Amino acid sequence: MKRIGLHKSPLFLKIIFVVSVAIIFFIGGITFKHITVLKKSSAYVSNSYEVNIELERLMSCIKDAETGQRGYLLSKDKKFLIPYQNSGSLIKKSHQRISELTSNSRTQQNNLKTLQYHINKRLNYLSKNLYLVQHEKYSEDELEYNLITGQKSMDSIRLRIEDMIITQKVLLKNRQKDYDSTMNYTPLLIYLTLIITLILITIAFVKMNRDLILLKNTIHTLTVEIEANKLSEIVGNFGSWKLDIETNTYTFSDNEYRLLGCEPQSFEASKEGFLKFIHPDDLEFVKESANNAVMNDSRVPFMYRVIRKDGEVRYFKDMGQVVSFASQNKTYIGTTRDITSEIDDKITTEERNRELESNNKELSAFNYIASHDLQEPLRKIETFISRLISKDHDNISTSGQQYIASIQKSANRMRVLIEDLLQFSRTNKAEKTFQLSNLNCLLDNAKQELAQTIEEKKAVLTSSVLPSLSIIPFQIQQLFINLIGNSLKYSKANEAPSISINYSIIVANEEEFLPDTYHEYHKITVEDNGIGFDQEYAKNIFVLFNRLHNKNEYQGTGIGLAICKKIVENHKGFIFAKGVLHEGSTFIIYLPVEQKQA
Amino acid sequence: MNTDFINICLADDDEDDRLFFTDAFDELRINTKVSTFNDGVELMNYLNNEDSILPNVLFLDLNMPKKNGVECLLEIKQNEKFSDIAIAIYSTSSSEEHIEETFINGANIYIKKPNDFEKLKKILSEVVTLNWQYHTSGLNKDNFLMRM
């Protein structure tokens, strides 16, 4: 968004500049035109004055001539004739001058012609009179007639000249009017355009100012970003590099140098400069991968080794992509990450895994020993005892018989213990293959397994219909065996055990033992009327080797319920015990409805 | 020779177990002829001998030196000549892996050595009097392990 704003501004400024220049040219043009007009009009004024002066001069010349002649006529002194004699050339000169000055006015030219005619006429009479006087051949009447006619033409000359002066004035006035009319609009026009220019320049200034602030802010943000980037490169242990694809020039970030163990910008960024740090074994691969990344814009990270300046071998991982900016210049931006510690961690983890694996193997070897080698001597002891009892029972003393019975009991107990332990360790490590199984079948199998005890104790088992679930079948079967076996074991001596197994589907937050969530669980309860237990010990009974009773009272290894807990945990479920002393106990199993396969 | 005899072979490295085995058959009132071998190699030598009388039922311990029970089982199953021999695995272990492995490799029944002599007698009499044809045709993983 910011970029667009900055982008638009220069265009606006350009428009303002062009408009301003155009306006200045316009004003210049107008001013030039006006000055020309002004010059012209002042020329007109002086021209008019000159015409007037010349006309006056013409007039005075004629007058001089007339006055001179008159003086001669009266005094017969020839010196009075000098102005008259001179007047011819003077008049001619003046006339010519006026003709020049009024060359652009037809009216004045016409007037001038008429004036010329009258002047000539006057001069004719003057010369006629002079001739008559000089030759003494004149009559008084003829002279007077000449004088009067001369006077008349003199009047018309005067009239003409006045006429011409008036015409000149009118012309001047008209020109003045024209000039005024143009000059009237000019100041307003100039003023308006100046104001518009000022407004435009002000807008441009404001705009530029705003852009400058924006630019300053952007520069500030950029500086912060650059610093943040530098810091994150250092913290994240990665560097970055840029390749201008058009010019084939490289730029490395400061941390890129540090990754190589060099001072920032200590050598010129180039392909060769970087490649010389790469482990010789990886060189070809890196060249190929880098080429592939830049040319095909492949974003597959590639891993290689470098030998740092200090000689240490480090693992790097590179990835990047081609970016093209508005200028259509394509640039490849790549990142280099030092993943040595990750690789080291991986190696350590692998080593640990191997250790664990070998530990596991040892454990299974132990399992085998427990299941086979440990049982073998025990089995023999028991078999020999059974043979001794069946064959030589009567030959042994009463105390000997008692000892043998005790040995048999102990051996038997040891076997149960070994078998239970084995069962427990198998529950831990057995492969967890979940499969959809009918729980009713598994329960039936469990009952079959316990058939002998059930019969002996005359136990009554009732069960509701169980569902089919995705479970580890043999483990769930073991769970039933252990729970029912438990109930049978801890039954009251004087009462036939009654065991009921119930099933329902529930929501977690409705149950007292489960967390307050909305997850659904399968709830299976095994309830008996046995000796029960104090609720205080409810949690302890699931702990391995934990027993609530003396082993003389009730046989047991303290493993059975621990196995139950393990099995339920393998199914991501929960098991709880509720007991009332002398009344019975209830075991509650919750299995999640949505089994997450392990 | 009386053909009513049931020929029985046992390969077991444990002397006591061999003793229990023969004693049990001595006490049982079944016409049997029991031969015992100390290990797998001895057993296979006997079976491969042309003059040997092949047993009706062969009891194989799993854990034996030189050649163990599974190796013997594989050899016997590969040979057409021995196809009529019923093979009973006779072991201390009742681990799932062992049961699975021997079942897959074609043993007919799996017996966990009992820890009571009377039980041993009972099991052995049941095994030798078993209708093998009937048992083998309906053999599955559940009835493979002999339960008492």
Side-chain angles (χ1 to χ4, degrees):
Chain A
M1 283 312 216
K2 267 183 194 167
R3 243 178 77 182
I4 292 166
L6 281 172
H7 196 240
K8 250 187 170 174
S9 194
L11 185 72
F12 179 72
L13 288 178
K14 269 180 204 162
I15 290 170
I16 285 186
F17 175 74
V18 169
V19 168
S20 300
V21 167
I23 285 171
I24 287 166
F25 265 108
F26 176 67
I27 292 172
I30 286 182
T31 315
F32 177 75
K33 191 185 154 202
H34 280 269
I35 287 168
T36 322
V37 168
L38 200 66
K39 215 169 119 192
K40 243 186 207 166
S41 94
S42 73
Y44 273 128
V45 173
S46 65
N47 181 298
S48 291
Y49 280 114
E50 216 174 317
V51 170
N52 284 354
I53 287 164
E54 282 305 322
L55 284 172
E56 292 292 341
R57 192 179 283 159
L58 194 67
M59 187 67 191
S60 77
C61 268
I62 297 165
K63 269 181 191 165
D64 281 353
E66 201 183 61
T67 316
Q69 197 199 31
R70 209 172 279 154
Y72 173 73
L73 286 183
L74 286 176
S75 63
K76 301 285 188 237
D77 187 354
K78 277 216 174 167
K79 79 174 180 201
F80 283 106
L81 278 178
I82 295 163
Y84 168 73
Q85 278 154 357
N86 288 344
S87 71
S89 64
L90 280 172
I91 285 168
K92 208 177 175 182
K93 223 167 125 188
S94 280
H95 177 264
Q96 203 176 345
R97 179 81 188 124
I98 291 166
S99 171
E100 266 169 30
L101 287 170
T102 58
S103 62
N104 53 358
S105 165
R106 196 167 288 170
T107 337
Q108 291 294 70
Q109 289 283 323
N110 285 341
N111 282 343
L112 194 62
K113 265 179 198 156
T114 328
L115 186 64
Q116 178 78 30
Y117 165 75
H118 286 291
I119 288 170
N120 286 344
K121 204 172 158 190
R122 177 72 186 119
L123 287 176
N124 266 347
Y125 282 113
L126 273 183
S127 61
K128 208 188 238 172
N129 271 356
L130 195 62
Y131 177 79
L132 287 177
V133 171
Q134 275 174 340
H135 294 85
E136 309 264 335
K137 282 185 219 171
Y138 60 87
S139 67
E140 274 307 307
D141 285 345
E142 195 183 5
L143 199 67
E144 199 170 317
Y145 171 76
N146 274 351
L147 278 172
I148 288 166
T149 328
Q151 192 64 43
K152 265 183 192 162
S153 58
M154 190 64 190
D155 283 346
S156 56
I157 286 169
R158 212 170 258 142
L159 213 68
R160 283 295 140 210
I161 284 175
E162 238 155 66
D163 231 22
M164 275 186 82
I165 287 170
I166 286 164
T167 312
Q168 195 63 34
K169 257 185 193 157
V170 169
L171 273 174
L172 190 67
K173 214 174 183 178
N174 282 345
R175 290 224 169 91
Q176 198 72 34
K177 222 160 124 194
D178 272 358
Y179 171 74
D180 280 352
S181 71
T182 2
M183 286 306 260
N184 264 347
Y185 297 112
T186 314
L188 189 69
L189 198 67
I190 290 177
Y191 186 66
L192 271 178
T193 42
L194 265 177
I195 282 182
I196 291 169
T197 318
L198 261 176
I199 289 170
L200 283 176
I201 287 172
T202 313
I203 290 173
F205 173 75
V206 168
K207 181 85 190 141
M208 267 161 75
N209 216 25
R210 205 179 290 160
D211 283 356
L212 266 178
I213 290 167
L214 199 69
L215 208 66
K216 215 171 126 190
N217 287 345
T218 314
I219 286 171
H220 180 254
T221 321
L222 263 177
T223 319
V224 171
E225 286 293 321
I226 287 169
E227 282 308 312
N229 200 33
K230 275 186 185 168
L231 192 67
S232 68
E233 282 195 4
I234 292 170
V235 173
N237 218 4
F238 70 93
S240 58
W241 53 279
K242 286 182 221 107
L243 164 64
D244 189 322
I245 293 172
E246 316 294 314
T247 60
N248 206 32
T249 46
Y250 285 81
T251 326
F252 293 165
S253 76
D254 286 356
N255 215 42
E256 185 89 8
Y257 287 93
R258 287 194 200 104
L259 289 184
L260 295 169
C262 302
E263 284 295 308
Q265 314 296 337
S266 57
F267 61 88
E268 202 192 336
S270 69
K271 197 176 184 177
E272 291 69 31
F274 190 77
L275 285 180
K276 72 180 181 196
F277 286 96
I278 287 167
H279 196 285
D281 292 352
D282 294 347
L283 195 57
E284 279 309 309
F285 166 73
V286 169
K287 278 183 185 166
E288 200 179 294
S289 304
N291 203 40
N292 185 35
V294 175
M295 292 302 147
N296 309 331
D297 195 12
S298 113
R299 308 212 179 129
V300 184
F302 56 96
M303 212 181 78
Y304 53 91
R305 283 164 296 168
V306 295
I307 301 169
R308 281 209 316 210
K309 206 183 171 190
D310 55 14
E312 202 183 321
V313 175
R314 306 286 288 184
Y315 290 85
F316 281 9
K317 194 176 187 179
D318 258 48
M319 205 187 126
Q321 72 178 84
V322 176
V323 232
S324 49
F325 294 107
S327 56
Q328 289 187 330
N329 238 12
K330 274 188 179 174
T331 306
Y332 183 87
I333 298 180
T335 56
T336 308
R337 212 151 69 81
D338 189 328
I339 52 162
T340 315
S341 62
E342 281 163 46
I343 297 273
D344 287 347
D345 284 352
K346 208 175 142 196
I347 290 168
T348 320
T349 315
E350 272 170 13
E351 266 169 23
R352 295 245 169 88
N353 274 346
R354 266 198 293 278
E355 258 171 53
L356 268 177
E357 250 169 55
S358 76
N359 280 355
N360 262 345
K361 268 182 195 155
E362 274 170 33
L363 260 179
S364 20
F366 173 78
N367 269 345
Y368 186 79
I369 289 165
S371 72
H372 192 267
D373 298 11
L374 213 60
Q375 283 191 77
E376 206 163 77
L378 190 64
R379 179 175 48 78
K380 278 187 201 157
I381 293 170
E382 286 189 296
T383 313
F384 277 119
I385 291 169
S386 71
R387 294 201 72 187
L388 193 66
I389 291 169
S390 65
K391 262 175 124 181
D392 301 310
H393 191 261
D394 297 338
N395 303 336
I396 306 167
S397 66
T398 326
S399 56
Q401 281 174 14
Q402 256 176 14
Y403 298 151
I404 286 170
S406 290
I407 294 169
Q408 194 176 26
K409 220 166 142 190
S410 291
N412 189 40
R413 193 174 149 63
M414 189 169 171
R415 184 171 45 79
V416 172
L417 206 65
I418 289 171
E419 275 170 3
D420 280 1
L421 257 181
L422 201 61
Q423 187 74 52
F424 182 73
S425 69
R426 270 188 199 149
T427 316
N428 269 339
K429 65 154 232 173
E431 78 244 62
K432 286 153 189 164
T433 40
F434 285 78
Q435 58 187 79
L436 194 67
S437 327
N438 188 338
L439 262 60
N440 297 299
C441 293
L442 298 177
L443 181 61
D444 282 343
N445 290 346
K447 278 186 203 166
Q448 225 158 24
E449 195 95 1
L450 297 163
Q452 206 183 339
T453 331
I454 292 170
E455 208 175 309
E456 277 169 16
K457 297 222 171 187
K458 296 189 172 55
V460 181
L461 267 78
T462 53
S463 59
S464 62
V465 178
L466 301 178
S468 287
L469 301 177
S470 173
I471 43 137
I472 310 166
F474 81 90
Q475 287 200 356
I476 295 294
Q477 186 173 317
Q478 189 66 46
L479 179 71
F480 283 137
I481 292 171
N482 288 10
L483 287 179
I484 296 167
N486 196 67
S487 288
L488 291 170
K489 195 185 285 171
Y490 299 104
S491 58
K492 285 176 192 156
N494 54 0
E495 201 178 323
S498 157
I499 304 163
S500 68
I501 295 137
N502 290 300
Y503 164 79
S504 60
I505 195 160
I506 55 92
V507 177
N509 61 358
E510 288 167 4
E511 296 294 309
E512 58 170 315
F513 295 121
L514 290 183
D516 190 12
T517 64
Y518 293 96
H519 297 123
E520 281 189 319
Y521 286 89
H522 300 285
K523 180 186 184 182
I524 300 163
T525 55
V526 179
E527 197 174 354
D528 65 47
N529 60 344
I531 58 167
F533 59 89
D534 197 328
Q535 188 62 30
E536 207 184 311
Y537 305 112
K539 275 199 171 153
N540 295 357
I541 61 176
F542 293 110
V543 178
L544 195 62
F545 298 125
N546 209 307
R547 291 164 48 81
L548 297 182
H549 304 279
N550 193 298
K551 62 176 177 258
N552 294 333
E553 291 173 83
Y554 294 95
Q555 271 198 350
T557 55
I559 298 172
L561 289 179
I563 291 175
C564 290
K565 193 170 169 65
K566 201 95 232 171
I567 289 172
V568 174
E569 278 170 2
N570 284 346
H571 289 80
K572 313 254 182 279
F574 307 94
I575 184 165
F576 301 98
K578 262 162 89 175
V580 179
L581 206 56
H582 309 307
E583 277 182 32
S585 48
T586 309
F587 289 91
I588 309 158
I589 300 152
Y590 296 104
L591 299 178
V593 165
E594 281 183 25
Q595 271 284 4
K596 279 180 199 130
Q597 304 247 327
Chain B
M1 288 291 282
N2 193 336
T3 49
D4 288 345
F5 274 108
I6 299 170
N7 277 307
I8 288 163
C9 282
L10 168 73
D12 197 328
D13 62 317
D14 193 298
E15 200 190 334
D16 293 333
D17 276 331
R18 289 200 301 273
L19 182 68
F20 292 150
F21 194 82
T22 48
D23 282 359
F25 276 112
D26 283 346
E27 286 183 25
L28 284 172
R29 287 158 211 280
I30 312 171
N31 283 335
T32 52
K33 195 166 180 280
V34 180
S35 332
T36 59
F37 304 93
N38 294 337
D39 56 55
V41 177
E42 234 176 74
L43 171 76
M44 292 317 294
N45 284 344
Y46 171 79
L47 291 181
N48 287 323
N49 193 329
E50 292 292 325
D51 303 331
S52 303
I53 302 160
L54 291 180
N56 300 95
V57 186
L58 169 65
F59 289 83
L60 264 180
D61 185 22
L62 287 181
N63 195 12
M64 287 187 291
K66 294 182 194 168
K67 195 174 270 183
N68 69 28
V70 177
E71 286 169 317
C72 294
L73 176 67
L74 287 171
E75 254 180 71
I76 292 163
K77 281 290 152 187
Q78 273 167 16
N79 197 331
E80 272 292 312
K81 198 174 113 186
F82 307 133
S83 59
D84 286 338
I85 304 174
I87 298 171
I89 303 298
Y90 184 62
S91 169
T92 317
S93 154
S94 63
S95 78
E96 282 291 328
E97 298 96 85
H98 286 145
I99 295 172
E100 177 105 21
E101 192 185 11
T102 50
F103 175 73
I104 286 166
N105 287 318
N108 298 82
I109 200 156
Y110 193 105
I111 302 158
K112 185 181 182 295
K113 289 177 183 170
N115 39 21
D116 186 289
F117 191 68
E118 291 306 315
K119 272 187 191 164
L120 175 66
K121 275 160 70 180
K122 201 176 160 202
I123 282 178
L124 291 180
S125 83
E126 255 181 59
V127 168
V128 288
T129 56
L130 199 69
N131 182 338
W132 287 106
Q133 213 162 14
Y134 177 76
H135 173 79
T136 309
S137 66
L139 190 65
N140 62 43
K141 250 173 92 177
D142 286 332
N143 59 24
F144 176 60
L145 177 67
M146 180 100 183
R147 287 173 205 276
M148 291 308 297

